[in-house]
Amino acid sequence: MAKIDDSVKKKVPELRFKGFTDDWEERKLIEVADYRNGKAHEKDISEAGDYIVVNSKFVSTNGLVKKYSDEMIAPLSKNEIAFVLSDVPNGRAIARTFLISEENKYSLNQRIAGITPHADTNSYFLHSLMNRNHYFLRFDDGVSQTNLSKKEVEKWVELYPSYGEQQKIGSFFKQLDDTIALHQRKLDLLKEQKKGYLQKMFPKNGEKVPELRFAGFADDWEERKLGDLSQDTIGGGTPKTSVTEFWNG
């Protein structure tokens, strides 16, 4: 008989921080956090608004795409979680989470749920656990618009460790996410830098030299056809069905 792994017999993960040995406990979301729905903001959208509207686009871009409101219609507090309930077919926003980091700044839009972790639930742990969780993604059939209900979200069941272990795990993933965000900003800057160089290091229409050049080069660039620079230009094609090497494995 095959040996049953301890992590199967006991409700624990394969990898843990030192000092934690207790089983994780199965709980519904309603047992670890409170749920509420957002409110419509369409009539209060303003380019000069003081408050950021937390909608699906904002959450799915991790806060990069913003809309503003003149009114704080549905306040979100620090350490609350915004959770996307509705998404178009094949969308990537459904079940995404955004952890609120500041007070008096964010207002919860309709079709976004506000999740308030209980005192014995670490917000970053729950944010990481809920984000695109496979349970919620099951409701997206890729054909019709997905709309998660309050009931479906509240009855979501997962395993939870002690609060101390949640804190350890939450801090660990926060550090990883912060590092990823830092490298993402560096990558974005490099992409913008490359874009600028592409514009300046190739001649503009009607010109024969670029705006920016390496030292030691002063000659005009010459106009040539692609055929002058390559020996052959070929296109792809579909193999004949008689060639079994392409069709049978």
Side-chain angles (χ1 to χ4, degrees):
M1 182 180 293
K3 183 179 178 181
I4 300 176
D5 187 85
D6 286 343
S7 63
V8 175
K9 291 189 298 182
K10 298 168 65 177
K11 295 181 178 181
V12 297
E14 183 179 347
L15 185 64
R16 301 182 80 173
F17 288 100
K18 289 183 178 179
F20 299 99
T21 57
D22 293 339
D23 284 2
W24 289 30
E25 296 183 3
E26 201 171 74
R27 297 179 184 175
K28 294 180 179 179
L29 178 69
I30 198 172
E31 297 177 280
V32 301
D34 295 325
Y35 173 108
R36 72 181 185 281
N37 285 315
K39 298 180 180 179
H41 285 67
E42 281 75 8
K43 296 180 181 179
D44 297 279
I45 297 297
S46 170
E47 291 185 5
D50 295 323
Y51 308 106
I52 295 174
V53 178
V54 178
N55 55 21
S56 60
K57 182 67 72 173
F58 175 84
V59 175
S60 64
T61 61
N62 201 31
L64 293 178
V65 178
K66 299 180 178 69
K67 282 188 176 181
Y68 296 89
S69 172
D70 291 322
E71 300 292 333
M72 178 62 84
I73 297 172
L76 281 160
S77 300
K78 184 177 179 179
N79 291 327
E80 288 190 312
I81 299 165
F83 179 78
V84 179
L85 298 169
S86 181
D87 199 14
V88 296
N90 302 311
R92 296 184 178 182
I94 191 71
R96 286 199 181 277
T97 59
F98 182 86
L99 184 63
I100 302 302
S101 59
E102 296 181 48
E103 298 283 353
N104 199 37
K105 182 176 180 180
Y106 300 98
S107 190
L108 188 66
N109 197 39
Q110 62 183 349
R111 293 187 289 278
I112 310 293
I115 308 297
T116 308
H118 294 169
D120 59 350
T121 304
N122 179 267
S123 57
Y124 213 94
F125 175 87
L126 185 58
H127 155 65
S128 302
L129 192 61
M130 287 190 78
N131 188 42
R132 298 287 281 178
N133 187 280
H134 61 88
Y135 165 83
F136 302 114
L137 297 183
R138 292 185 313 173
F139 295 94
D140 183 7
D141 61 8
V143 178
S144 57
Q145 180 169 317
T146 305
N147 294 284
L148 294 170
S149 69
K150 180 175 184 287
K151 182 180 179 181
E152 289 164 347
V153 176
E154 286 187 331
K155 73 177 184 180
W156 166 57
V157 176
E158 263 295 352
L159 293 169
Y160 292 83
S162 66
Y163 182 69
E165 191 168 4
Q166 288 183 38
Q167 285 182 304
K168 279 279 191 180
I169 295 171
S171 296
F172 174 75
F173 280 106
K174 184 179 187 305
Q175 185 177 16
L176 284 177
D177 288 339
D178 289 345
T179 302
I180 291 169
L182 176 62
H183 285 289
Q184 184 62 53
R185 285 194 291 272
K186 290 180 178 178
L187 177 61
D188 292 340
L189 287 172
L190 283 172
K191 286 181 177 179
E192 285 299 311
Q193 189 177 41
K194 178 184 177 181
K195 185 177 177 181
Y197 281 133
L198 284 170
Q199 292 174 348
K200 293 185 177 183
M201 296 185 72
F202 289 88
K204 293 182 172 62
N205 288 335
E207 299 181 3
K208 292 188 175 182
V209 294
E211 180 181 344
L212 185 64
R213 305 185 77 172
F214 287 103
F217 298 96
D219 294 339
D220 286 358
W221 288 32
E222 297 180 5
E223 195 172 76
R224 297 184 185 178
K225 294 180 180 179
L226 178 62
D228 297 332
L229 304 174
S230 61
Q231 292 181 343
D232 296 296
T233 302
I234 61 173
T238 303
K240 295 180 180 179
T241 55
S242 60
V243 184
T244 56
E245 287 84 354
F246 288 104
W247 296 97
N248 293 329

